[in-house]
Amino acid sequence: MEQPVKRVVIVGGGFAGINLIKKLSKDKRFHITLVDKNNYTFFPPLLYQVATAFIEPSNISYPFRRLFQKKHNLRFHMGSLKKVNPEQNTIETDTGIVEYDYLVLAMGTESNYFGMEQVKANALPMKTIDDALNLRNHLLLNMEEAVHTNDMKEKEKHLNIVIAGGGPTGVELAGMLAELGRNIALKEYPEIKDLRSHLYLVDAGKALLGPMSVKSQQEATRILLKLGVKIITNTAVKDYRDDIVYLADGRTIPTNVLIWASGVIAREVPGLPATAIGRGKRIIVNEFNKVHDTQNIFALGDQSLQTSDTKWPNGHPQLAQVAIQHGDKLAANLIREADNKTMEGFVYNDKGSMAIISKYKAVVDLPKLFFKGFGAWFIWLFIHIIPLIGFRNKVKLAFSWFWSFITNDPTLRLIIRPRKEDVIDAKPRVEAAKELTS
Ligand SMILES: Cc1cc2nc3c(=O)[nH]c(=O)nc-3n(C[C@H](O)[C@H](O)[C@H](O)COP(=O)(O)OP(=O)(O)OC[C@H]3O[C@@H](n4cnc5c(N)ncnc54)[C@H](O)[C@@H]3O)c2cc1C
């Protein structure tokens, strides 16, 4: 007898959600609805290049509906999750109610400001395409304002850039901004002498690239110092108000730009049992990614906390590879269940990590090997083109990189700013920047 089709609702079309969909949609016993608050999927590891006007946002994003063309068992529901009702097997979104047989939560994380309200109100986060575009506008506007003012204190505030968080995102941003200072600012802003000496990278930990090898940490520090970046470690940002960053050791840095690349917290899902919420608001799951104290709800990727994998007793790192492998494994397990087979437990296959530091300079940590320099940089480029969705995106990105690297002169430094005067004066910085790009 033919089995009834199972309705699988996946909330979040990032690395985990999309990889689950790719595998599961091949099996016609499942009807899949993807719920996402955006109508596109995107590639976070390259956000910093959008923020620094190096590549276009369309190079790293792809619309869901285009991805689902000609797939009869796939639907897209644009909406933001508001609540889960496990008793009724429904979710509530801001655009309606959706019913499910299986629910999969893969909504990732948001910035964690550790309770610092002024930092939250005034710093610029780096989590989404919107954030990257806000940051791009803000940085470019700031340069224009630096050119106009003759007041040296004001100028200093406009030129200083503080990046909080010395992980891969902070390091990559610092390297790229230093390159911009070297290659663009001198040519296009003759009024500004040297931008590089105004770049600060601050981290509460004892070294940059905390989770990577000591060799990678040392190489990143060496190159950034050579590029003129001021590195402050063992020191947390404590506050940011009236255009002054306050550090835990008492130092202050006047600046109009605090970029927040420091710490994340899982996105909240109202309606789940309280017993299922763990450290960093991550959702506690078993070895099959089933949410604690629920029957048919699963959580994947950054949003989940899985301690069953013996090599990772405190949970997996919040990285793309974990999310991709979670998506693949859950697809295989749901198919196994439909075949009346038992599910298999998840084991993470750590393929290593890498970070780009500046042009032609990167570090790669493989499980038993470290390497750096041009070879590492080239591999980084290659590895970041392969997973992009869409052949056109891969070609466009390869061409953008080729052009930008050989000319040292990408051409995307556009400030899109409708109603600037109305918005900037009246609102805190982050809201104002959001309106400028809307
Ligand atoms: C700037 C940056 C750089 C990074 N660099 C690297 C790197 O170099 N290497 C690496 O391994 N990892 C990197 N990461 C981490 C990596 O991106 C994450 O580990 C990965 O994206 C997690 O995948 P996910 O599917 O769990 O969540 P995500 O990819 O974050 O996807 C979450 C999805 O949920 C959707 N969503 C969120 N809230 C809602 C809601 N309320 N309702 C509906 N939908 C919602 C979002 O729109 C998104 O599509 C980086 C992250 C950032 C932010």
Side-chain angles (χ1 to χ4, degrees):
M1 204 175 72
E2 212 172 290
Q3 288 176 6
V5 170
K6 292 277 186 198
R7 295 164 305 172
V8 182
V9 173
I10 301 167
V11 190
F15 285 106
I18 288 294
N19 275 281
L20 170 60
I21 287 171
K22 271 191 201 159
K23 294 255 154 65
L24 198 63
S25 62
K26 290 183 186 149
D27 192 322
K28 299 289 173 281
R29 290 173 296 179
F30 298 97
H31 184 278
I32 302 165
T33 303
L34 172 68
V35 177
D36 202 294
K37 60 183 183 156
N38 295 317
N39 77 335
Y40 55 83
T41 186
F42 72 100
F43 191 69
L46 292 178
L47 271 180
Y48 79 98
Q49 296 199 359
V50 174
T52 49
F54 205 69
I55 58 173
E56 292 174 49
S58 63
N59 287 163
I60 60 162
S61 41
Y62 203 88
F64 291 122
R65 287 191 185 275
R66 175 115 206 274
L67 199 61
F68 295 179
Q69 274 180 11
K70 299 186 191 140
K71 300 263 182 179
H72 299 299
N73 59 342
L74 268 176
R75 288 286 175 277
F76 175 59
H77 177 111
M78 185 163 165
S80 182
L81 181 76
K82 293 292 164 211
K83 193 173 177 225
V84 176
N85 301 311
E87 307 289 310
Q88 286 92 45
N89 286 341
T90 61
I91 57 164
E92 294 170 28
T93 75
D94 58 355
T95 50
I97 290 178
V98 188
E99 295 178 4
Y100 63 83
D101 296 313
Y102 293 116
L103 174 65
V104 183
L105 301 167
M107 293 148 63
T109 55
E110 57 190 319
S111 294
N112 186 1
Y113 298 94
F114 307 101
M116 296 181 286
E117 287 305 321
Q118 288 297 313
V119 175
K120 187 174 175 182
N122 295 313
L124 292 144
M126 258 286 293
K127 284 288 295 169
T128 63
I129 295 263
D130 289 348
D131 293 341
L133 287 174
N134 290 335
L135 184 51
R136 178 174 109 180
N137 265 350
H138 189 74
L139 289 169
L140 293 170
L141 270 172
N142 221 25
M143 298 274 283
E144 295 303 329
E145 286 172 25
V147 168
H148 289 146
T149 181
N150 291 322
D151 176 332
M152 290 320 281
K153 278 196 171 159
E154 275 297 303
K155 207 184 251 313
E156 173 87 1
K157 246 173 29 186
H158 288 304
L159 293 182
N160 283 345
I161 296 176
V162 181
I163 302 168
T169 300
V171 165
E172 287 166 352
L173 256 174
M176 187 61 102
L177 288 169
E179 293 279 359
L180 276 177
R182 180 163 68 179
N183 297 319
I184 309 290
L186 286 178
K187 279 188 284 191
E188 295 186 6
Y189 301 86
E191 303 86 345
I192 299 169
K193 290 284 172 294
D194 189 359
L195 254 189
R196 286 171 291 166
S197 57
H198 292 275
L199 263 177
Y200 295 80
L201 180 57
V202 182
D203 196 280
K206 63 180 192 319
L208 301 180
L209 297 180
M212 293 189 74
S213 69
V214 173
K215 283 183 179 163
S216 288
Q217 295 170 353
Q218 287 169 345
E219 178 69 358
T221 307
R222 187 184 71 78
I223 292 170
L224 290 181
L225 286 174
K226 208 168 152 197
L227 284 170
V229 178
K230 292 177 177 150
I231 298 172
I232 303 175
T233 48
N234 279 319
T235 311
V237 167
K238 277 290 162 215
D239 204 354
Y240 179 42
R241 58 194 145 79
D242 304 325
D243 293 333
I244 297 174
V245 170
Y246 293 83
L247 301 181
D249 62 5
R251 270 183 284 181
T252 56
I253 309 169
T255 181
N256 242 336
V257 190
L258 170 62
I259 304 173
W260 196 250
S262 173
V264 291
I265 194 158
R267 289 194 186 268
E268 265 184 87
V269 181
L272 288 182
T275 49
I277 308 303
R279 179 167 44 83
K281 298 201 177 158
R282 286 164 81 175
I283 302 170
I284 299 170
V285 296
N286 68 8
E287 68 269 41
F288 313 120
N289 284 86
K290 190 174 276 186
V291 174
H292 190 64
D293 284 339
T294 68
Q295 296 306 314
N296 49 353
I297 304 180
F298 298 83
L300 307 178
D302 279 7
Q303 206 181 12
S304 65
L305 182 62
Q306 187 173 49
T307 53
S308 51
D309 196 344
T310 44
K311 276 199 189 153
W312 304 92
N314 295 320
H316 300 108
Q318 287 162 299
L319 291 175
Q321 265 305 320
V322 176
I324 290 168
Q325 293 176 31
H326 267 168
D328 286 352
K329 191 69 182 181
L330 184 60
N333 272 335
L334 291 178
I335 292 169
R336 285 182 74 82
E337 193 159 84
D339 292 338
N340 289 320
K341 292 181 185 159
T342 52
M343 290 188 173
E344 290 173 344
F346 178 81
V347 180
Y348 175 45
N349 174 14
D350 184 2
K351 295 182 178 167
S353 48
M354 52 177 54
I356 200 166
I357 306 166
S358 71
K359 191 176 168 186
Y360 305 142
K361 306 249 177 358
V363 283
V364 176
D365 281 340
L366 296 181
K368 288 188 181 143
L369 187 67
F370 160 81
F371 58 107
K372 60 179 185 178
F374 183 80
W377 177 81
F378 195 75
I379 289 174
W380 186 99
L381 294 189
F382 190 69
I383 285 190
H384 284 77
I385 282 194
I386 302 282
L388 284 186
I389 297 179
F391 180 70
R392 192 167 150 265
N393 276 5
K394 292 184 214 265
V395 173
K396 270 172 64 187
L397 181 63
F399 181 75
S400 296
W401 277 347
F402 174 73
W403 184 255
S404 299
F405 284 126
I406 59 160
T407 61
N408 280 329
D409 203 357
T411 51
L412 297 169
R413 291 177 297 283
L414 308 173
I415 303 172
I416 315 289
R417 48 171 190 167
R419 296 181 286 112
K420 181 210 165 201
E421 292 75 10
D422 301 347
V423 179
I424 277 285
D425 291 340
K427 305 240 164 112
R429 176 171 305 121
V430 174
E431 280 143 57
K434 272 189 181 147
E435 294 207 17
L436 290 181
T437 41
S438 64

